[in-house]
Coordinates of all heavy atoms in Angstrom, one line a residue:
M1 N 16.6 1.5 5.4 CA 15.4 2.0 6.1 C 14.6 2.9 5.2 O 15.2 3.8 4.5 CB 15.9 2.7 7.3 CG 14.7 3.2 8.2 SD 15.2 4.1 9.7 CE 16.2 2.9 10.5
I2 N 13.3 2.8 5.1 CA 12.5 3.6 4.3 C 12.3 5.0 5.0 O 11.8 5.1 6.1 CB 11.1 3.0 4.1 CG1 11.3 1.6 3.3 CG2 10.2 3.9 3.3 CD1 10.0 0.9 3.1
T3 N 12.6 6.0 4.2 CA 12.5 7.4 4.7 C 12.1 8.3 3.4 O 12.2 7.8 2.3 CB 13.8 8.0 5.3 OG1 14.8 7.9 4.3 CG2 14.2 7.2 6.5
K4 N 11.7 9.5 3.7 CA 11.3 10.4 2.6 C 12.4 10.5 1.5 O 13.6 10.5 1.9 CB 11.0 11.8 3.2 CG 10.4 12.7 2.1 CD 9.9 14.0 2.8 CE 9.2 14.8 1.7 NZ 8.6 16.0 2.2
N5 N 11.9 10.6 0.3 CA 12.8 10.7 -0.9 C 13.4 9.4 -1.4 O 14.2 9.4 -2.3 CB 13.9 11.8 -0.7 CG 13.3 13.2 -0.6 OD1 12.3 13.5 -1.2 ND2 13.8 13.9 0.3
Q6 N 13.2 8.3 -0.7 CA 13.7 7.1 -1.1 C 12.8 6.4 -2.1 O 11.6 6.5 -2.0 CB 13.9 6.1 0.1 CG 15.1 6.4 0.9 CD 15.5 5.2 1.7 OE1 14.6 4.7 2.4 NE2 16.7 4.8 1.7
V7 N 13.4 5.7 -3.1 CA 12.7 4.9 -4.1 C 12.4 3.6 -3.4 O 13.4 2.9 -2.9 CB 13.5 4.8 -5.4 CG1 12.7 3.8 -6.3 CG2 13.7 6.1 -6.1
V8 N 11.2 3.2 -3.3 CA 10.8 2.0 -2.7 C 10.0 1.1 -3.7 O 9.2 1.5 -4.4 CB 9.9 2.3 -1.5 CG1 9.4 1.0 -0.8 CG2 10.5 3.2 -0.5
S9 N 10.4 -0.2 -3.6 CA 9.7 -1.2 -4.5 C 8.9 -2.2 -3.5 O 9.5 -2.7 -2.6 CB 10.6 -1.9 -5.4 OG 11.2 -1.1 -6.4
L10 N 7.7 -2.4 -3.8 CA 6.9 -3.3 -3.0 C 6.3 -4.5 -3.8 O 5.9 -4.4 -4.9 CB 5.6 -2.5 -2.5 CG 5.8 -1.3 -1.6 CD1 4.5 -0.7 -1.4 CD2 6.5 -1.6 -0.4
D11 N 6.3 -5.6 -3.1 CA 5.6 -6.8 -3.5 C 4.4 -6.8 -2.7 O 4.5 -6.8 -1.4 CB 6.5 -8.0 -3.3 CG 5.9 -9.3 -3.9 OD1 4.9 -9.2 -4.7 OD2 6.3 -10.4 -3.5
Y12 N 3.1 -6.7 -3.2 CA 2.0 -6.5 -2.4 C 0.8 -7.3 -2.9 O 0.8 -7.8 -4.1 CB 1.6 -5.1 -2.4 CG 1.0 -4.6 -3.7 CD1 -0.4 -4.6 -3.9 CD2 1.8 -4.2 -4.8 CE1 -0.9 -4.2 -5.1 CE2 1.2 -3.8 -6.0 CZ -0.1 -3.8 -6.1 OH -0.7 -3.4 -7.3
F13 N -0.3 -7.4 -2.1 CA -1.5 -7.9 -2.5 C -2.6 -7.2 -1.7 O -2.4 -6.8 -0.6 CB -1.7 -9.4 -2.5 CG -1.5 -10.0 -1.2 CD1 -2.5 -10.2 -0.3 CD2 -0.2 -10.4 -0.8 CE1 -2.3 -10.8 1.0 CE2 0.0 -11.0 0.4 CZ -1.0 -11.2 1.3
I14 N -3.8 -7.0 -2.3 CA -4.9 -6.4 -1.7 C -6.0 -7.5 -1.6 O -6.4 -8.1 -2.7 CB -5.4 -5.2 -2.4 CG1 -4.3 -4.1 -2.4 CG2 -6.7 -4.6 -1.8 CD1 -4.6 -2.9 -3.3
K15 N -6.6 -7.7 -0.4 CA -7.7 -8.7 -0.3 C -9.0 -8.0 0.2 O -8.9 -7.0 0.8 CB -7.3 -9.8 0.7 CG -6.2 -10.6 0.3 CD -5.9 -11.7 1.4 CE -4.8 -12.6 1.0 NZ -4.6 -13.6 2.1
D16 N -10.1 -8.7 -0.2 CA -11.4 -8.2 0.3 C -11.7 -8.9 1.7 O -10.8 -9.6 2.2 CB -12.5 -8.3 -0.7 CG -12.8 -9.8 -1.0 OD1 -12.4 -10.7 -0.3 OD2 -13.5 -10.0 -2.0
E17 N -12.8 -8.6 2.2 CA -13.2 -9.1 3.5 C -13.4 -10.7 3.5 O -13.3 -11.3 4.5 CB -14.5 -8.5 4.1 CG -14.3 -7.0 4.4 CD -15.6 -6.3 4.8 OE1 -16.7 -6.9 4.5 OE2 -15.5 -5.2 5.3
Q18 N -13.6 -11.2 2.3 CA -13.7 -12.7 2.2 C -12.4 -13.3 1.8 O -12.3 -14.5 1.5 CB -14.7 -13.1 1.1 CG -16.2 -12.7 1.5 CD -16.5 -11.2 1.4 OE1 -16.0 -10.5 0.5 NE2 -17.2 -10.8 2.4
D19 N -11.3 -12.6 1.9 CA -9.9 -13.1 1.7 C -9.6 -13.3 0.2 O -8.7 -14.1 -0.1 CB -9.6 -14.3 2.6 CG -8.2 -14.3 3.1 OD1 -7.6 -13.2 3.2 OD2 -7.7 -15.4 3.3
N20 N -10.4 -12.8 -0.7 CA -10.2 -12.9 -2.1 C -9.1 -11.9 -2.5 O -9.3 -10.7 -2.1 CB -11.4 -12.7 -2.9 CG -12.5 -13.7 -2.6 OD1 -12.3 -14.9 -2.7 ND2 -13.7 -13.2 -2.3
I21 N -8.1 -12.3 -3.3 CA -7.1 -11.3 -3.8 C -7.8 -10.4 -4.9 O -8.2 -11.0 -5.9 CB -5.9 -12.0 -4.3 CG1 -5.2 -12.7 -3.1 CG2 -4.9 -11.0 -4.9 CD1 -4.0 -13.5 -3.4
L22 N -7.8 -9.1 -4.7 CA -8.3 -8.2 -5.6 C -7.3 -7.6 -6.6 O -7.6 -7.2 -7.7 CB -9.1 -7.0 -4.9 CG -10.2 -7.4 -3.9 CD1 -10.7 -6.2 -3.2 CD2 -11.3 -8.1 -4.7
E23 N -6.1 -7.5 -6.0 CA -5.0 -6.9 -6.8 C -3.7 -7.3 -6.2 O -3.6 -7.6 -5.0 CB -5.1 -5.3 -6.7 CG -4.1 -4.6 -7.5 CD -4.3 -3.1 -7.4 OE1 -5.4 -2.6 -7.4 OE2 -3.2 -2.4 -7.3
S24 N -2.7 -7.5 -7.0 CA -1.4 -7.9 -6.5 C -0.3 -7.4 -7.4 O -0.5 -6.9 -8.5 CB -1.3 -9.4 -6.4 OG -1.2 -10.0 -7.6
S25 N 0.9 -7.6 -7.0 CA 2.1 -7.2 -7.8 C 2.6 -8.4 -8.6 O 3.8 -8.4 -9.0 CB 3.2 -6.7 -6.8 OG 3.5 -7.7 -5.9
A26 N 1.7 -9.3 -8.9 CA 2.1 -10.5 -9.7 C 2.7 -10.1 -11.0 O 3.6 -10.8 -11.6 CB 0.9 -11.4 -9.9
E27 N 2.3 -9.0 -11.6 CA 2.8 -8.5 -12.9 C 4.1 -7.7 -12.7 O 4.7 -7.4 -13.7 CB 1.7 -7.6 -13.6 CG 0.4 -8.3 -13.8 CD 0.6 -9.5 -14.9 OE1 1.3 -9.2 -15.9 OE2 0.1 -10.5 -14.6
G28 N 4.5 -7.4 -11.5 CA 5.7 -6.6 -11.3 C 5.6 -5.8 -10.0 O 4.5 -5.5 -9.6
L29 N 6.7 -5.5 -9.4 CA 6.7 -4.7 -8.2 C 6.1 -3.3 -8.4 O 6.3 -2.7 -9.4 CB 8.1 -4.6 -7.7 CG 8.9 -5.9 -7.3 CD1 10.3 -5.6 -6.8 CD2 8.1 -6.6 -6.2
L30 N 5.5 -2.8 -7.3 CA 5.1 -1.4 -7.3 C 6.3 -0.5 -6.8 O 6.8 -0.8 -5.7 CB 3.9 -1.2 -6.3 CG 3.5 0.2 -5.9 CD1 2.9 0.9 -7.2 CD2 2.5 0.2 -4.8
T31 N 6.7 0.4 -7.6 CA 7.8 1.3 -7.2 C 7.3 2.7 -7.1 O 6.5 3.2 -8.0 CB 8.9 1.2 -8.3 OG1 9.3 -0.2 -8.3 CG2 10.1 2.1 -7.9
Y32 N 7.7 3.4 -6.1 CA 7.3 4.8 -5.8 C 8.4 5.6 -5.0 O 9.3 4.9 -4.5 CB 5.9 4.8 -5.0 CG 6.1 4.5 -3.6 CD1 6.1 5.5 -2.6 CD2 6.2 3.2 -3.1 CE1 6.2 5.2 -1.3 CE2 6.4 2.9 -1.8 CZ 6.4 3.9 -0.9 OH 6.5 3.6 0.4
I33 N 8.2 6.9 -4.9 CA 9.1 7.7 -4.1 C 8.4 8.0 -2.8 O 7.3 8.6 -2.8 CB 9.5 9.0 -4.8 CG1 10.3 8.6 -6.1 CG2 10.4 9.8 -3.9 CD1 10.6 9.9 -6.9
H34 N 9.0 7.6 -1.7 CA 8.3 7.6 -0.4 C 8.2 9.1 0.1 O 9.2 9.9 -0.1 CB 9.1 6.8 0.6 CG 8.4 6.6 1.9 ND1 7.4 5.7 2.1 CD2 8.6 7.2 3.1 CE1 7.0 5.8 3.3 NE2 7.7 6.7 4.0
G35 N 7.1 9.3 0.7 CA 6.9 10.6 1.4 C 6.2 11.7 0.6 O 6.1 12.8 1.1
Y36 N 5.6 11.3 -0.6 CA 4.9 12.3 -1.4 C 3.5 12.0 -1.7 O 2.9 12.6 -2.6 CB 5.7 12.5 -2.7 CG 7.0 13.2 -2.5 CD1 8.1 12.4 -2.3 CD2 7.1 14.6 -2.4 CE1 9.4 13.0 -2.0 CE2 8.3 15.2 -2.2 CZ 9.4 14.4 -2.0 OH 10.6 15.0 -1.7
G37 N 2.9 11.1 -0.8 CA 1.5 10.8 -1.0 C 1.1 10.0 -2.2 O 0.0 10.0 -2.6
S38 N 2.1 9.3 -2.7 CA 1.8 8.4 -3.8 C 0.9 7.2 -3.4 O 0.2 6.6 -4.3 CB 3.1 7.8 -4.5 OG 3.9 8.9 -4.9
L39 N 1.0 6.8 -2.2 CA 0.2 5.7 -1.6 C -0.7 6.3 -0.6 O -0.5 7.4 -0.1 CB 1.2 4.7 -1.0 CG 2.2 4.0 -1.9 CD1 3.0 3.0 -1.0 CD2 1.5 3.2 -3.0
P40 N -1.7 5.5 -0.2 CA -2.6 6.0 0.9 C -1.8 6.3 2.1 O -0.8 5.6 2.4 CB -3.5 4.9 1.1 CG -3.6 4.1 -0.2 CD -2.2 4.3 -0.8
S41 N -2.1 7.4 2.8 CA -1.3 7.9 4.0 C -1.0 6.8 5.0 O 0.1 6.6 5.5 CB -2.0 9.1 4.5 OG -1.3 9.6 5.7
P42 N -2.1 6.0 5.4 CA -1.8 4.9 6.4 C -0.8 3.9 5.9 O 0.0 3.4 6.7 CB -3.2 4.3 6.6 CG -4.2 5.3 6.1 CD -3.5 6.0 5.0
L43 N -0.7 3.7 4.7 CA 0.3 2.7 4.1 C 1.7 3.3 4.2 O 2.6 2.7 4.6 CB -0.1 2.3 2.7 CG 0.9 1.3 2.1 CD1 1.1 0.1 2.9 CD2 0.3 0.9 0.7
E44 N 1.8 4.6 3.8 CA 3.1 5.2 3.8 C 3.6 5.3 5.3 O 4.8 5.1 5.6 CB 3.1 6.6 3.2 CG 3.2 6.5 1.7 CD 3.8 7.8 1.0 OE1 4.3 8.7 1.7 OE2 3.6 7.9 -0.2
Q45 N 2.7 5.6 6.2 CA 3.1 5.7 7.6 C 3.5 4.3 8.1 O 4.5 4.3 8.9 CB 1.9 6.2 8.4 CG 1.6 7.7 8.2 CD 0.3 8.1 8.8 OE1 -0.3 7.4 9.6 NE2 -0.1 9.3 8.6
A46 N 2.9 3.3 7.7 CA 3.2 1.9 8.2 C 4.6 1.5 7.6 O 5.3 0.7 8.2 CB 2.2 0.9 7.8
L47 N 5.0 2.0 6.4 CA 6.2 1.6 5.8 C 7.4 2.5 6.3 O 8.5 2.0 6.2 CB 6.1 1.8 4.3 CG 5.2 0.8 3.6 CD1 5.0 1.2 2.2 CD2 5.7 -0.6 3.7
E48 N 7.1 3.7 6.8 CA 8.1 4.6 7.3 C 9.0 3.9 8.3 O 8.6 3.3 9.3 CB 7.5 5.8 7.9 CG 8.5 6.8 8.4 CD 9.1 7.7 7.3 OE1 8.5 7.9 6.3 OE2 10.2 8.2 7.5
G49 N 10.3 3.9 8.1 CA 11.3 3.4 9.0 C 11.5 1.9 8.9 O 12.4 1.3 9.6
K50 N 10.8 1.2 8.0 CA 11.0 -0.3 7.8 C 12.3 -0.5 7.0 O 12.7 0.3 6.2 CB 9.8 -0.9 7.1 CG 8.5 -0.8 7.9 CD 8.5 -1.6 9.1 CE 7.2 -1.7 9.8 NZ 7.0 -0.8 10.9
D51 N 12.9 -1.7 7.3 CA 14.1 -2.1 6.6 C 13.7 -2.9 5.4 O 12.6 -3.5 5.3 CB 15.0 -2.9 7.5 CG 15.6 -2.0 8.6 OD1 16.0 -0.9 8.3 OD2 15.7 -2.6 9.7
Q52 N 14.7 -3.1 4.5 CA 14.5 -3.9 3.3 C 14.1 -5.3 3.7 O 14.7 -5.9 4.7 CB 15.7 -3.9 2.5 CG 15.6 -4.8 1.2 CD 16.9 -4.7 0.4 OE1 17.8 -3.9 0.6 NE2 17.0 -5.6 -0.6
G53 N 13.1 -5.9 3.1 CA 12.6 -7.2 3.4 C 11.6 -7.3 4.5 O 11.1 -8.4 4.7
A54 N 11.2 -6.2 5.1 CA 10.2 -6.2 6.1 C 8.9 -6.6 5.6 O 8.5 -6.3 4.4 CB 10.1 -4.8 6.8
N55 N 8.1 -7.3 6.4 CA 6.7 -7.6 6.0 C 5.8 -6.6 6.8 O 5.9 -6.5 8.0 CB 6.4 -9.0 6.4 CG 7.0 -10.0 5.5 OD1 7.1 -9.8 4.3 ND2 7.7 -11.0 6.1
V56 N 4.8 -6.1 6.1 CA 3.8 -5.2 6.8 C 2.4 -5.7 6.3 O 2.2 -5.9 5.1 CB 4.1 -3.7 6.3 CG1 3.0 -2.8 6.8 CG2 5.4 -3.2 6.6
S57 N 1.6 -5.7 7.3 CA 0.2 -6.2 7.0 C -0.7 -5.1 7.6 O -0.6 -4.8 8.8 CB -0.1 -7.5 7.6 OG -1.4 -7.9 7.4
L58 N -1.7 -4.6 6.8 CA -2.6 -3.6 7.3 C -4.0 -4.0 6.9 O -4.2 -4.6 5.9 CB -2.3 -2.2 6.6 CG -1.0 -1.6 6.8 CD1 -0.9 -0.3 5.9 CD2 -0.8 -1.2 8.2
T59 N -4.9 -3.6 7.8 CA -6.4 -3.7 7.5 C -6.9 -2.3 7.5 O -6.9 -1.6 8.5 CB -7.1 -4.6 8.5 OG1 -6.5 -5.9 8.6 CG2 -8.6 -4.7 8.2
L60 N -7.3 -1.9 6.3 CA -7.8 -0.5 6.1 C -9.2 -0.5 5.5 O -9.4 -1.3 4.5 CB -6.9 0.3 5.2 CG -5.4 0.4 5.6 CD1 -4.6 1.1 4.5 CD2 -5.3 1.3 6.9
P61 N -10.0 0.4 5.9 CA -11.3 0.5 5.2 C -11.1 1.1 3.9 O -10.2 1.9 3.6 CB -12.1 1.4 6.1 CG -11.2 2.0 7.1 CD -10.0 1.2 7.1
A62 N -11.9 0.7 2.9 CA -11.7 1.2 1.5 C -11.7 2.7 1.4 O -11.0 3.2 0.6 CB -12.8 0.6 0.6
V63 N -12.5 3.4 2.2 CA -12.6 4.8 2.2 C -11.2 5.5 2.4 O -10.9 6.5 1.9 CB -13.6 5.3 3.1 CG1 -13.3 5.2 4.6 CG2 -14.0 6.8 2.8
E64 N -10.4 4.8 3.2 CA -9.0 5.4 3.5 C -8.1 5.1 2.4 O -7.0 5.8 2.3 CB -8.4 4.7 4.8 CG -9.1 5.2 6.1 CD -8.4 4.8 7.3 OE1 -7.1 4.7 7.3 OE2 -9.0 4.4 8.3
C65 N -8.4 4.2 1.5 CA -7.5 3.9 0.4 C -8.0 4.5 -0.9 O -7.2 5.0 -1.7 CB -7.4 2.4 0.2 SG -6.6 1.6 1.6
F66 N -9.2 4.4 -1.2 CA -9.8 4.7 -2.5 C -10.8 5.8 -2.5 O -11.3 6.3 -3.5 CB -10.4 3.5 -3.1 CG -9.5 2.3 -3.2 CD1 -9.6 1.3 -2.3 CD2 -8.5 2.3 -4.1 CE1 -8.8 0.2 -2.4 CE2 -7.6 1.3 -4.1 CZ -7.7 0.2 -3.3
G67 N -11.2 6.3 -1.3 CA -12.2 7.4 -1.2 C -13.6 6.8 -1.1 O -13.8 5.6 -1.0
E68 N -14.6 7.7 -1.0 CA -16.0 7.3 -0.8 C -16.5 6.5 -2.0 O -16.1 6.8 -3.1 CB -16.9 8.6 -0.6 CG -16.6 9.3 0.7 CD -17.1 8.6 1.9 OE1 -18.0 7.7 1.8 OE2 -16.5 8.8 3.0
R69 N -17.3 5.5 -1.8 CA -17.9 4.7 -2.9 C -18.8 5.6 -3.7 O -19.7 6.3 -3.2 CB -18.6 3.5 -2.3 CG -19.2 2.6 -3.3 CD -19.9 1.4 -2.6 NE -20.5 0.6 -3.7 CZ -20.0 -0.5 -4.1 NH1 -18.9 -1.0 -3.5 NH2 -20.6 -1.2 -5.0
D70 N -18.7 5.5 -5.0 CA -19.6 6.1 -6.0 C -20.5 5.1 -6.6 O -20.0 4.3 -7.4 CB -18.7 6.8 -7.0 CG -19.6 7.6 -8.0 OD1 -20.8 7.5 -8.0 OD2 -19.0 8.3 -8.9
E71 N -21.7 5.0 -6.2 CA -22.6 4.0 -6.6 C -22.9 4.1 -8.1 O -23.3 3.1 -8.7 CB -24.0 4.1 -5.9 CG -23.9 3.8 -4.4 CD -23.4 2.4 -4.1 OE1 -23.6 1.5 -4.9 OE2 -22.8 2.2 -3.0
S72 N -22.6 5.2 -8.8 CA -22.9 5.3 -10.2 C -21.7 4.6 -11.0 O -21.7 4.4 -12.1 CB -23.1 6.7 -10.7 OG -21.8 7.5 -10.4

């Protein structure tokens, strides 16, 4: 079960509104320590308490993941 201080490895992909894959873990799993803000807060919250092998799907606005768009 995913809880604070655990090392977590994710197989993931990020898609845009047209279902195009923008980023994925094809090059290797994403590994982080849970509970320290290494990932966007809504993602860490969605993973909290999940068991190994669980599938999680989220739809988040870019601002919640990457911040406000900088046109420059």
Side-chain angles (χ1 to χ4, degrees):
M1 181 180 303
I2 298 175
T3 57
K4 188 171 183 171
N5 295 321
Q6 282 195 310
V7 175
V8 178
S9 293
L10 300 175
D11 186 18
Y12 74 96
F13 58 90
I14 298 172
K15 294 182 178 181
D16 64 15
E17 293 173 345
Q18 290 74 40
D19 217 28
N20 299 307
I21 295 177
L22 303 175
E23 184 178 318
S24 76
S25 57
E27 300 294 318
L29 298 177
L30 169 67
T31 301
Y32 75 102
I33 299 175
H34 190 76
Y36 290 92
S38 299
L39 300 178
S41 180
L43 180 53
E44 280 203 14
Q45 290 172 6
L47 293 170
E48 181 76 27
K50 297 293 189 263
D51 290 322
Q52 181 176 348
N55 290 314
V56 175
S57 179
L58 297 175
T59 301
L60 299 172
V63 70
E64 287 188 37
C65 297
F66 305 107
E68 292 292 331
R69 183 179 176 103
D70 181 353
E71 296 297 334
S72 63

